[in-house]
Amino acid sequence: NEAEINAGRDIESNENYRYRLSNAVIANELANLTAVRVAILSIPGVADCIIEPYVRGLGTFDVIVKSVAPSVTAGLLSAIREIIADIIPMGIMATVRGPSETGVSMSITLTLRANVTEAQATTIAKNVQTAITQYVDNLDIGEELVINEIVQRTMEVDDRIKDMGVPNKPID
């Protein structure tokens, strides 16, 4: 099936589902990184995870969790720690954490075409804010924030946006 099916309550990407399905036999063996990853991806609210082995030497690994929400909650981290404790053998130390978050603040001046009402301008500004927020919130772990992507997403919001920012400086 090439198209994603998102009819359920918990959104899981096709990539994660295929990974879990193709590694189901290995995951049932427990005490391996595949078993840990499959177990983590099966927890509602987890979008993805990165497992870094040997972070503090032999017998250690870190799990960096990406949530379907913009931030990883303490409850989600706790659920992951509990499920990992049932999988890993005695003597192995796992650390579970969310990605390091970097705050972003920006101000954008929009130049709109003629005959745009104040109410329309307000709606356009809110839609631009939503588009930028969705872009930033959906960046993957370690992915760069690209200014040109923000410019493109802003300009695609509405045909009545003529320009943004000042010359050679799209974000104020």
Side-chain angles (χ1 to χ4, degrees):
N1 187 6
E2 293 180 14
E4 290 188 28
I5 300 173
N6 289 327
R9 268 199 258 157
D10 297 321
I11 298 174
E12 178 179 20
S13 70
N14 276 349
E15 182 180 318
N16 284 353
Y17 177 71
R18 287 185 181 119
Y19 179 86
R20 284 193 314 111
L21 191 60
S22 65
N23 289 295
V25 173
I26 296 170
N28 284 333
E29 294 175 6
L30 299 177
N32 62 53
L33 291 180
T34 301
V36 172
R37 181 168 166 75
V38 169
I40 292 170
L41 292 176
S42 69
I43 297 173
V46 174
D48 199 3
C49 68
I50 296 173
I51 299 176
E52 297 178 330
Y54 316 118
V55 174
R56 289 168 305 287
L58 289 175
T60 67
F61 67 94
D62 280 5
V63 177
I64 304 171
V65 180
K66 181 180 179 189
S67 173
V68 295
S71 295
V72 179
T73 64
L76 184 59
L77 294 175
S78 178
I80 294 168
R81 286 184 192 104
E82 286 179 26
I83 203 162
I84 289 176
D86 293 338
I87 297 172
I88 61 174
M90 189 173 187
I92 301 294
M93 291 179 40
T95 302
V96 180
R97 63 183 173 86
S100 300
E101 294 183 7
T102 304
V104 175
S105 177
M106 65 185 78
S107 174
I108 298 174
T109 301
L110 297 176
T111 304
L112 303 176
R113 300 196 186 279
N115 302 325
V116 174
T117 67
E118 192 66 35
Q120 291 171 329
T122 301
T123 301
I124 291 169
K126 286 181 183 176
N127 291 342
V128 166
Q129 183 178 6
T130 300
I132 293 171
T133 300
Q134 286 175 345
Y135 165 65
V136 172
D137 286 350
N138 288 309
L139 288 173
D140 209 351
I141 297 170
E143 191 174 356
E144 293 180 4
L145 177 77
V146 179
I147 299 300
N148 285 336
E149 185 69 26
I150 293 172
V151 171
Q152 179 178 345
R153 288 175 186 245
T154 299
M155 298 304 290
E156 289 175 348
V157 165
D158 197 295
D159 291 336
R160 295 171 288 187
I161 299 174
K162 184 177 179 180
D163 201 1
M164 62 183 282
V166 294
N168 298 321
K169 191 176 177 186
I171 297 178
D172 299 345

